[in-house]
């Protein structure tokens, strides 16, 4: 009698573990896909902001790179975004208008969204590599997540746009 209860307890524990593992695999794949969509949205906002800044300042190369990033297909998106990042880093804007501040803010959001996406893709790929997940093919219903490789998209705040006056360096006091 006790061995039947023991077998039932082991079967219940094993089924609970399998259900938890399957739910974990589903959850990390859904979160990775959601992070990919968020990164895509932030990249589109950055490209649109770059196009606005390029129109205001007259940077033709920046405008062309922004339009290519906006119109790029999924398989050529990384190349277009890397080109836009290079153009943004090569152009040093000192403008203090709202469009430049929006571009800097969206570039920072892209960097954060890329980091979150990379972390979630790593977690999903780690979950897929677990032996039990591979053996029972728990991840077969989900598309394999991919990293989005782009250069660091952060931009520095323009020097003229710094808030407040620049403090004077302290003057050393000589002892008499």
């Amino acid at each position: 009698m006790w061995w039947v209860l023991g077998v039932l307890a082991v079967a219940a524990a094993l089924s609970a573990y399998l259900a938890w593992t399957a739910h974990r695999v589903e959850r990390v794949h859904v979160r990775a896909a959601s992070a990919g969509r968020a990164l895509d949205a932030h990249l589109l906002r950055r490209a649109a902001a770059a196009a606005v800044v390029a129109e205001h300042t007259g940077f033709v190369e920046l405008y062309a790179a922004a339009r290519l990033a906006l119109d790029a297909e999924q398989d050529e998106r990384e190349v277009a975004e890397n080109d836009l990042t290079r153009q943004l880093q090569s152009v040093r804007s000192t403008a203090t208008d709202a469009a430049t501040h929006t571009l800097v803010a969206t570039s920072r959001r892209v960097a954060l969204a890329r980091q979150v996406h990379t972390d979630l893709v790593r977690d999903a790929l780690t979950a897929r590599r677990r032996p039990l997940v591979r053996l029972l093919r728990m991840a077969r219903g989900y598309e394999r997540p991919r990293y989005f490789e782009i250069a660091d998209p952060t931009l520095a705040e323009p020097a003229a746009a710094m808030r407040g006056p620049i403090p004077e360096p302290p003057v050393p006091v000589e002892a008499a």
Side-chain angles (χ1 to χ4, degrees):
M1 175 72 176
W2 288 106
W3 66 273
V4 173
L5 291 177
V7 168
L8 288 176
V10 168
L14 183 63
S15 65
Y17 177 72
L18 290 175
W20 176 82
T21 302
H23 184 66
R24 170 81 177 141
V25 168
E26 176 190 10
R27 192 171 58 230
V28 296
H29 280 85
V30 167
R31 289 181 67 198
S34 177
R37 288 189 300 273
L39 176 61
D40 187 51
H42 286 296
L43 288 169
L44 289 175
R45 285 186 196 110
R46 181 182 74 150
V52 169
V53 168
E55 286 177 350
H56 287 262
T57 57
F59 295 127
V60 177
E61 294 87 10
L62 178 60
Y63 183 77
R67 287 306 311 171
L68 284 174
L70 284 170
D71 299 335
E73 295 294 325
Q74 193 64 19
D75 56 339
E76 55 196 30
R77 190 75 188 270
E78 288 180 7
V79 174
E81 291 297 338
N82 278 322
D83 185 42
L84 177 59
T85 300
R86 281 190 294 279
Q87 289 296 328
L88 286 171
Q89 290 173 343
S90 68
V91 172
R92 295 291 178 215
S93 177
T94 59
T96 60
D97 60 345
T100 304
H101 290 294
T102 302
L103 179 60
V104 170
T106 57
S107 292
R108 289 182 180 156
R109 287 187 188 110
V110 165
L112 181 62
R114 185 179 71 91
Q115 182 179 5
V116 169
H117 178 258
T118 301
D119 290 345
L120 290 171
V121 167
R122 184 192 62 232
D123 290 347
L125 293 176
T126 301
R128 290 176 81 94
R129 282 193 293 265
R130 295 182 74 176
L132 191 61
V133 172
R134 285 186 309 176
L135 178 69
L136 298 178
R137 297 172 28 153
M138 291 180 184
R140 70 178 175 262
Y142 306 104
E143 183 178 337
R144 184 177 190 85
R146 291 182 348 114
Y147 290 106
F148 194 83
E149 297 295 332
I150 57 173
D152 188 20
T154 56
L155 298 176
E157 203 53 54
M162 294 284 185
R163 305 282 193 264
I166 299 173
E168 294 290 324
V171 178
V173 178
E174 294 183 22

